[in-house]
Amino acid sequence: MDTEALHLALQQSFSPDANLRDPAEKAIKSLKHVKGATVMLLQVAAEKQVQFEVRQAAAIQLKNICRECWVERVSFTGAPLPPSDGVNGDEAAKYPLLDDEDKGLVMVNLVETLLAEPEKSIRDLLGETVHSIAVHDFPEKWSNLLPTLLQTISQSHDPAQALRVHNALLALRKVCKRYEYKAREQRGPLNDIVVQSFPLLLPLAQRLSDLNEHSLEAALMLKQILKIFWSSTQFYLPGGNDWGPTLGNPESMQPWFDVLLVVLSKKLPEASTGLEPKNQPVSIEERNAWPWWKVKKWSVQIMSRLFSRYGIPSYAEDELKDFAKHFSQHVAPQFLGPVCETLNLRPSGLFCTDRVLHLCLTYVDLAVELAPTYKMLKPHMDFLLYKVCFPTLCLTTDDIDLFENDPHEFVHRQCSPLADFYDPRMSAITLVIDLVKHRGQDVTTPLLSFLTEILQRYNSVDDASKNHTEKEGALLAFGSLSEILLGKKKYATELEGLMVTSVFPDFNSPVAFLRCRSCWMVQRFSTVKWTDDGTNLRTLIQLVLQRLSDPALPVQIEASKALRYLIEVDGAEATLLPVLPQILNEYFRIMNEIGNDEVVAALQVIIDQFGDQIEPHAVALVTQLSSAFSKYCQAGDDDDDAAMAAAQCLECIATVLKGICERPELYTTMGPQLIPLVLQILGNDGDYIEYLEYALDILTFLTYFPDTISPQLWEAFPLIYVAFDQWAFDYLNLMVPPLENFIGKSPQQFLAGKAVTPEGTVSYIDLIFSIVAKTVAEERSSENEVRKALSLYMTILHCCRGMVDNYLPAMNDIFLAKLGQQVNSDVPLTRITIFQVIGSALHYNPQLQLVELEKRGVTQQVFTQWMQDAEKMERWLPRKLTVLGLTSVLLVPTSVLPAAVSTSIPQLVSAAVTIANRMEEDADKEENEEENAIEEEVEEADDDDLFEGFGEDEDVTSEADEAYMEALTKLKSGSDVGRFLIGDDWDQEDDDDEMYTSPIDDVNQLLYFNDTMKSAFQREPEFYQQVQGALSSDIVNSCQKLFVAADAAREKSSQATS
């Protein structure tokens, strides 16, 4: 293929004629296999005479090939990733890689093409290509990149070079972004970039931010400079040591602060005034994208980040304490002025983008915590609360229009998890909450008076004069403060009146958004203490129930969410239970209208709350939820709301299954709805992996509670293995419970079962052995996962007694090798699990298991280590299996015992007696504690009720923040990020024995020990007399007590059965 043919293929890929389009798309897909294709794509993208769409398509293909084929792509485990184009055959087993010649030509020509590109979308694509190459080759293999960019930037004084300078800045930002999130020790190249580029960038930024510079070109270049600064400083201040003056030096950083200050202070007049900078757009969408507003956004975003890191000196790193003191005493107060001036734009009738407003409010929120800046804010609190925050809380005309004309989009925005990061309403709410929380003595009383006055005014005027948006804003403010108000007695007693007088009436308001807000208020104040005879609560429940069928969808959503809070209130059940079927129908109607995970979560709470009464509706519930899940899955990958709602449906199904556990026959009735759903998720090569956790939970219920497992459900068994082997290794802990249920419920069918897998026809038991072996051998397996996998061996030994003799050698190969790796580990948990398996094997067939130990010459070492670790066993299951395993050795005649075992019988008996005695003592202790437990309710004075916030001379501090910063400091000194996020002891927690069930539950270890010991004495009295003589008097006494306890237990059991 030559350049002309490539141009034609790209052009025809847009054709509506499939006869032209399909071959063109096929040819484009194969470009990664064509030598020289990247150079041709670059030529097409660079040619200004070519149709724009074709140039853009060429840039897209270039970006994709460079990202996929620059180096071999591997998964996080290091395994090569398969090709994405679906091509089969050996040649396609790996991504094709560009050769060095093609790479060299791309690197030589890419930067020049980018520097000369005027079209934004194409230069952005070329910039992303620079980034993807820099990830692998900068600086070692692309050493001329930085000098080329800096040489271009140095020509900024020449107006004719403005485009090239801007694009060089864009490319430099892409390179800096490569290191933005790297740890300090991995940021060496970024420090080099800062040292070489900042002496060029600072004077350029100063010139571009000059009060007389108003061009859009200046704004575009300044935006890129600030983005470079952001990428270079948001986590660490570069420089110092071998890299020149650190930006942590106030003198080095102050000129940058001055630039940011000037940028945020710059006036941006309306286009109608004719003032510079001219031609500000009129539409909000265009204003948001206007370069001068973008520059303001980056300036306040940078300052907010620096404030959060260095505003409170006590939280700063030790080497930056002096910088933090300078920042908090001089820089933060200096920047507060232009921030407040920006906040005054909207109250003054001028425009400000939502993003800039959001970030300014974030900056002020930080300023509330710092004493010097709070002192500056305090005299202007009325302006901040009532002119800035409260108007920002209130619905706009656009919000109301969206509520009425596109309710689905309104609900989507209200529930968006990203709102905290862009919606000024959220930042205003956060600021109000923090002011009341941290500076309550100055703020709370006047704010509550202001809000109460709005509500009273609304109630007192005629309908035509009511300000609905103002009231909605006041309720939003009250509700946002609910946690604080409910936690303080002096406010909590007033909340019942607030609900009755200002919320109850709005349930029937003609204004839909007030009905919506009233339902939301119920969620915030569901724990209000009602002082009447229960009438208010019953009235409130009826009002919420009516809103479930409100004409407005957002009201229905909020009502459905409100009900989940009310059902937990004492006295609510009597009102709700008689109408439970109607409630369930309303929820399913709403779920059919929109995919919203919070609605399904609310339904789940209702099902959980009315578990005893849900049984008659269980089959219908599961049918409806299964149908809803299928519908949400068909919504497409781009509908995040539907995906979350689908997951919530499965969780809700699990809640229903939990509620009917005492009616196992119902599980069989639900099989036709649930089994296809589970098989769909387990199959399909991981297409539904986001739902796998819930499917495995459902499968666990379906395999545990029914008496039998249907042939259709057995189809899930091999699918679990394929999922584990190919795409869901990390879900092992959730796979083990249903696998154990399959084994335990029908051992014969498990042992006879075979499955067709990618490796061929394999027996079910071999699939289990493969899972265990792969988990134990896999480096990325956590020890917790290894222990979980080994429990499958226990289940086989417990459930298949006498049927798996031939598998004992393979088991020993795996767990004894793992024991050898773990013998010196400070944490004994995995060793203890291995001893559980060994105990199970001895209980299964002591003679065979001892033969396996002898064959490997490890008998003495295993029992010695076992005795040592037995003292560290705190949980019931390992203790029980140790008693059973050690006691089972006594079933073997001493004549066939290995010498290492026969000479150690006194030690084995001592260990078994000690552990069995501890188990009996713990059981008695637990029983006595239950009998003697006395519930005491102690009312303690609530310190929060007296706390009114920090004084104006105090910085806001908290123990949680200090602990977090201390953890971050440790992290910077080389700790593992994963362990910081999950917790240091994430892999050392005890495994949950209470959830483990098997036939071993029916074996009473006390009776087993008693019977086996007495049988051994009768079989070989002379030998065991010698054993008794070797035991200490304490062990002999304990043994006698165990015999007495066993007789008592047997007597008690016989009385119970008779």
Side-chain angles (χ1 to χ4, degrees):
M1 179 183 286
D2 58 17
T3 306
E4 288 297 324
L6 174 59
H7 175 270
L8 181 62
L10 291 168
Q11 194 172 45
Q12 289 180 342
S13 68
F14 296 101
S15 173
D17 184 351
N19 293 322
L20 296 175
R21 185 180 66 252
D22 292 347
E25 290 178 347
K26 185 176 180 181
I28 291 170
K29 273 190 175 181
S30 66
L31 283 175
K32 64 183 71 173
H33 302 280
V34 177
K35 179 173 172 53
T38 49
V39 177
M40 291 188 290
L41 287 167
L42 198 53
Q43 290 172 346
V44 174
E47 181 52 62
K48 307 299 187 294
Q49 303 304 317
V50 172
Q51 179 185 351
F52 169 77
E53 289 78 11
V54 174
R55 294 179 60 215
Q56 188 178 50
I60 291 171
Q61 293 304 318
L62 176 67
K63 174 179 73 74
N64 291 342
I65 292 176
C66 288
R67 188 182 73 246
E68 296 178 4
C69 306
W70 202 265
V71 297
E72 184 178 31
R73 302 183 75 201
V74 296
S75 69
F76 70 94
T77 66
L81 289 172
S84 59
D85 55 9
V87 179
N88 296 317
D90 294 338
E91 293 299 318
K94 296 181 179 179
Y95 279 93
L97 297 180
L98 298 176
D99 61 25
D100 290 341
E101 181 183 2
D102 278 359
K103 288 182 182 180
L105 290 171
V106 168
M107 288 192 287
V108 167
N109 295 293
L110 175 60
V111 175
E112 180 55 37
T113 303
L114 170 58
L115 293 178
E117 181 52 57
E119 292 288 348
K120 181 181 185 304
S121 62
I122 295 176
R123 71 183 177 222
D124 285 346
L125 288 166
L126 296 174
E128 285 301 318
T129 307
V130 169
H131 175 262
S132 65
I133 297 173
V135 165
H136 304 294
D137 283 7
F138 179 83
E140 291 82 3
K141 298 179 182 178
W142 205 358
S143 57
N144 67 331
L145 174 61
L146 184 59
T148 301
L149 298 179
L150 296 182
Q151 172 61 29
T152 305
I153 294 169
S154 69
Q155 301 170 11
S156 61
H157 59 278
D158 183 357
Q161 300 298 315
L163 175 64
R164 295 177 63 84
V165 172
H166 170 270
N167 292 356
L169 292 168
L170 169 67
L172 184 59
R173 194 310 169 95
K174 296 297 182 182
V175 178
C176 291
K177 196 173 177 66
R178 154 92 171 85
Y179 302 97
E180 186 170 338
Y181 298 102
K182 293 291 185 182
R184 189 194 297 269
E185 60 274 11
Q186 297 175 306
R187 292 164 64 92
L190 181 58
N191 285 307
D192 290 335
I193 292 172
V194 169
V195 168
Q196 294 182 55
S197 66
F198 273 36
L200 273 176
L201 298 181
L202 178 57
L204 178 55
Q206 290 170 327
R207 178 161 62 80
L208 296 173
S209 60
D210 186 88
L211 293 177
N212 296 316
E213 179 58 79
H214 304 295
S215 68
L216 289 183
E217 292 80 8
L220 287 167
M221 284 190 274
L222 188 54
K223 180 183 76 170
Q224 293 299 337
I225 293 173
L226 295 186
K227 291 170 77 172
I228 292 168
F229 186 89
W230 166 266
S231 292
S232 303
T233 63
Q234 73 154 320
F235 289 115
Y236 302 97
L237 295 182
N241 299 328
D242 299 329
W243 291 293
T246 175
L247 288 178
N249 180 342
E251 293 181 2
S252 301
M253 190 67 108
Q254 189 58 47
W256 286 103
F257 290 146
D258 293 338
V259 169
L260 297 170
L261 192 69
V262 171
V263 166
L264 188 59
S265 302
K266 188 178 184 70
K267 307 295 183 185
L268 300 181
E270 295 291 334
S272 58
T273 64
L275 300 175
E276 295 283 3
K278 295 181 179 180
N279 302 319
Q280 178 172 179
V282 176
S283 75
I284 292 179
E285 185 176 351
E286 290 178 310
R287 287 186 194 236
N288 289 335
W290 199 45
W292 282 114
W293 278 115
K294 288 286 188 181
V295 169
K296 280 184 178 284
K297 183 209 84 166
W298 280 104
S299 69
V300 71
Q301 181 170 316
I302 289 168
M303 288 304 298
S304 293
R305 171 54 63 92
L306 292 172
F307 202 156
S308 68
R309 293 186 66 81
Y310 308 110
I312 306 292
S314 60
Y315 292 165
E317 305 100 302
D318 289 340
E319 66 270 23
L320 290 172
K321 293 287 189 189
D322 290 340
F323 173 81
K325 289 177 182 176
H326 172 79
F327 185 93
S328 62
Q329 294 171 8
H330 302 288
V331 180
Q334 183 185 26
F335 209 74
L336 193 58
V339 165
C340 289
E341 289 175 7
T342 305
L343 290 175
N344 192 39
L345 289 174
R346 289 192 180 183
S348 302
L350 301 174
F351 177 78
C352 179
T353 66
D354 280 353
R355 190 76 176 99
V356 171
L357 176 59
H358 169 83
L359 289 165
C360 285
L361 287 168
T362 301
Y363 187 90
V364 172
D365 190 36
L366 293 164
V368 167
E369 298 187 15
L370 183 65
T373 46
Y374 178 68
K375 284 183 180 179
M376 294 175 64
L377 285 172
K378 185 177 176 181
H380 308 287
M381 202 52 62
D382 285 358
F383 158 77
L384 191 60
L385 285 171
Y386 313 135
K387 299 297 184 182
V388 177
C389 288
F390 184 73
T392 304
L393 295 184
C394 295
L395 292 172
T396 65
T397 53
D398 288 341
D399 293 329
I400 297 171
D401 179 69
L402 192 68
F403 183 102
E404 295 174 347
N405 298 312
D406 192 354
H408 284 78
E409 178 61 21
F410 182 88
V411 171
H412 170 74
R413 291 189 186 180
Q414 292 292 304
C415 300
S416 172
L418 298 177
D420 287 347
F421 301 100
Y422 68 80
D423 187 352
R425 183 177 287 112
M426 299 306 297
S427 54
I429 288 171
T430 301
L431 175 55
V432 170
I433 292 172
D434 285 345
L435 279 168
V436 172
K437 183 178 179 181
H438 301 315
R439 308 293 182 179
Q441 54 191 317
D442 302 325
V443 171
T444 306
T445 299
L447 174 61
L448 295 183
S449 297
F450 170 81
L451 298 175
T452 302
E453 183 182 345
I454 291 174
L455 299 182
Q456 291 173 343
R457 183 166 60 247
Y458 185 90
N459 291 337
S460 63
V461 300
D462 58 75
D463 291 347
S465 303
K466 292 183 185 297
N467 187 329
H468 306 305
T469 56
E470 189 181 56
K471 179 177 183 180
E472 198 272 347
L475 292 178
L476 174 58
F478 266 120
S480 300
L481 296 170
S482 60
E483 185 177 346
I484 297 173
L485 299 178
L486 287 166
K488 294 184 181 294
K489 294 178 182 177
K490 64 179 180 180
Y491 302 128
T493 55
E494 304 295 326
L495 295 175
E496 181 180 17
L498 168 70
M499 294 294 291
V500 172
T501 60
S502 294
V503 177
F504 281 25
D506 284 346
F507 278 96
N508 294 307
S509 170
V511 182
F513 61 76
L514 280 178
R515 299 198 301 273
C516 189
R517 183 58 65 196
S518 65
C519 293
W520 178 83
M521 286 288 284
V522 174
Q523 301 166 45
R524 306 300 299 183
F525 292 107
S526 62
T527 58
V528 162
K529 302 299 182 184
W530 304 102
T531 60
D532 66 341
D533 59 359
T535 301
N536 284 335
L537 177 60
R538 290 192 296 272
T539 301
L540 182 58
I541 293 172
Q542 291 297 338
L543 290 170
V544 172
L545 290 175
Q546 291 168 13
R547 291 307 108 213
L548 286 174
S549 55
D550 194 277
L553 178 64
V555 181
Q556 299 173 26
I557 299 291
E558 292 303 324
S560 66
K561 289 155 60 177
L563 204 56
R564 69 177 290 184
Y565 295 94
L566 286 178
I567 64 172
E568 297 173 349
V569 178
D570 290 342
E573 185 172 321
T575 304
L576 291 170
L577 193 55
V579 292
L580 182 59
Q582 294 91 316
I583 293 173
L584 297 176
N585 287 335
E586 287 297 331
Y587 271 87
F588 284 116
R589 182 189 56 75
I590 296 170
M591 289 166 56
N592 197 47
E593 173 81 13
I594 187 172
N596 185 283
D597 64 308
E598 291 189 74
V599 174
V600 188
L603 175 61
Q604 183 179 349
V605 172
I606 293 172
I607 293 170
D608 196 40
Q609 183 73 16
F610 295 116
D612 295 339
Q613 291 82 21
I614 214 69
E615 185 181 298
H617 314 286
V619 175
L621 276 170
V622 167
T623 302
Q624 292 271 22
L625 287 164
S626 301
S627 175
F629 170 78
S630 299
K631 177 185 175 182
Y632 294 151
C633 281
Q634 294 166 6
D637 295 338
D638 295 333
D639 193 338
D640 292 336
D641 288 347
M644 289 190 291
Q648 200 70 54
C649 282
L650 297 182
E651 193 170 350
C652 203
I653 288 173
T655 302
V656 175
L657 297 179
K658 177 184 176 183
I660 60 167
C661 60
E662 295 182 2
R663 289 284 306 278
E665 69 275 8
L666 289 176
Y667 292 99
T668 305
T669 308
M670 297 173 181
Q673 285 77 37
L674 294 180
I675 295 175
L677 183 151
V678 170
L679 297 180
Q680 173 190 355
I681 296 170
L682 285 172
N684 292 291
D685 298 325
D687 289 347
Y688 299 95
I689 189 171
E690 64 266 42
Y691 308 120
L692 182 58
E693 176 182 349
Y694 308 104
L696 291 170
D697 283 344
I698 292 170
L699 185 59
T700 301
F701 280 108
L702 295 179
T703 52
Y704 182 80
F705 287 104
D707 295 330
T708 59
I709 297 176
S710 69
Q712 292 78 16
L713 198 53
W714 271 101
E715 294 176 21
F717 191 98
L719 291 179
I720 295 176
Y721 170 78
V722 173
F724 164 85
D725 187 53
Q726 297 186 3
W727 51 270
F729 180 92
D730 296 326
Y731 287 80
L732 172 75
N733 284 352
L734 295 170
M735 295 175 174
V736 168
L739 288 174
E740 291 178 333
N741 293 342
F742 276 114
I743 298 167
K745 194 71 67 172
S746 182
Q748 290 79 10
Q749 188 164 354
F750 162 67
L751 293 174
K754 295 183 182 297
V756 178
T757 71
E759 292 87 8
T761 301
V762 184
S763 67
Y764 284 175
I765 190 170
D766 285 338
L767 294 182
I768 294 295
F769 271 70
S770 178
I771 288 175
V772 178
K774 289 179 178 179
T775 303
V776 172
E778 177 58 63
E779 290 183 1
R780 62 191 166 115
S781 298
S782 70
E783 289 304 313
N784 181 275
E785 289 170 329
V786 170
R787 295 194 293 272
K788 201 71 174 176
L790 288 171
S791 74
L792 289 167
Y793 281 167
M794 282 197 309
T795 300
I796 291 173
L797 291 167
H798 298 167
C799 299
C800 306
R801 287 180 67 81
M803 295 184 281
V804 290
D805 292 5
N806 293 337
Y807 283 92
L808 269 181
M811 286 188 191
N812 277 271
D813 287 341
I814 297 296
F815 64 64
L816 290 176
K818 184 64 180 178
L819 181 61
Q821 297 171 7
Q822 286 284 311
V823 71
N824 294 318
S825 174
D826 293 334
V827 181
L829 293 178
T830 301
R831 288 200 305 273
I832 288 173
T833 296
I834 294 171
F835 290 130
Q836 289 178 198
V837 181
I838 295 175
S840 301
L842 287 168
H843 184 254
Y844 172 86
N845 189 321
Q847 191 163 346
L848 281 180
Q849 177 57 29
L850 289 172
V851 167
E852 293 300 324
L853 295 176
E854 278 294 291
K855 278 196 311 188
R856 295 165 177 79
V858 296
T859 308
Q860 184 68 50
Q861 299 97 306
V862 166
F863 278 99
T864 299
Q865 185 66 54
W866 197 354
M867 297 306 97
Q868 293 174 4
D869 285 334
E871 298 176 3
K872 304 171 186 175
M873 295 176 182
E874 300 294 334
R875 296 178 289 117
W876 183 266
L877 185 61
R879 287 178 178 179
K880 178 172 184 173
L881 289 172
T882 295
V883 171
L884 295 179
L886 296 179
T887 304
S888 295
V889 173
L890 307 184
L891 294 171
V892 182
T894 55
S895 58
V896 295
L897 280 176
V901 176
S902 61
T903 58
S904 301
I905 290 294
Q907 288 87 350
L908 302 187
V909 171
S910 295
V913 169
T914 300
I915 296 173
N917 196 53
R918 283 169 58 193
M919 294 177 73
E920 288 300 300
E921 290 175 353
D922 287 352
D924 291 341
K925 182 179 178 182
E926 184 176 338
E927 185 176 348
N928 291 333
E929 286 177 352
E930 290 178 0
E931 291 177 355
N932 298 327
I934 300 174
E935 294 185 6
E936 296 182 359
E937 294 184 4
V938 180
E939 287 194 18
E940 297 180 358
D942 189 355
D943 293 337
D944 289 341
D945 202 46
L946 306 175
F947 182 65
E948 292 291 346
F950 296 86
E952 64 176 29
D953 294 319
E954 297 177 286
D955 292 339
V956 174
T957 58
S958 76
E959 292 181 3
D961 287 345
E962 290 170 357
Y964 179 77
M965 294 308 297
E966 183 180 349
L968 278 181
T969 302
K970 291 180 181 177
L971 192 64
K972 290 162 189 165
S973 62
S975 298
D976 185 329
V977 176
R979 288 190 177 274
F980 168 70
L981 294 174
I982 305 173
D984 285 340
D985 58 350
W986 66 278
D987 193 38
Q988 298 178 12
E989 59 183 20
D990 286 347
D991 303 292
D992 189 358
D993 293 341
E994 294 180 2
M995 301 300 293
Y996 182 80
T997 59
S998 79
I1000 211 74
D1001 297 338
D1002 298 328
V1003 179
N1004 185 309
Q1005 73 280 354
L1006 181 61
L1007 298 181
Y1008 187 83
F1009 173 79
N1010 175 81
D1011 297 346
T1012 305
M1013 280 290 293
K1014 291 179 178 179
S1015 174
F1017 262 91
Q1018 291 175 0
R1019 186 183 69 239
E1020 300 174 77
E1022 185 176 341
F1023 176 82
Y1024 281 96
Q1025 285 292 342
Q1026 295 175 1
V1027 169
Q1028 182 175 343
L1031 299 176
S1032 69
S1033 58
D1034 289 341
I1035 292 296
V1036 172
N1037 291 334
S1038 295
C1039 190
Q1040 294 298 330
K1041 290 179 181 178
L1042 291 175
F1043 290 159
V1044 172
D1047 292 339
R1050 200 186 306 276
E1051 177 66 20
K1052 184 177 180 181
S1053 176
S1054 63
Q1055 291 177 357
T1057 54
S1058 61

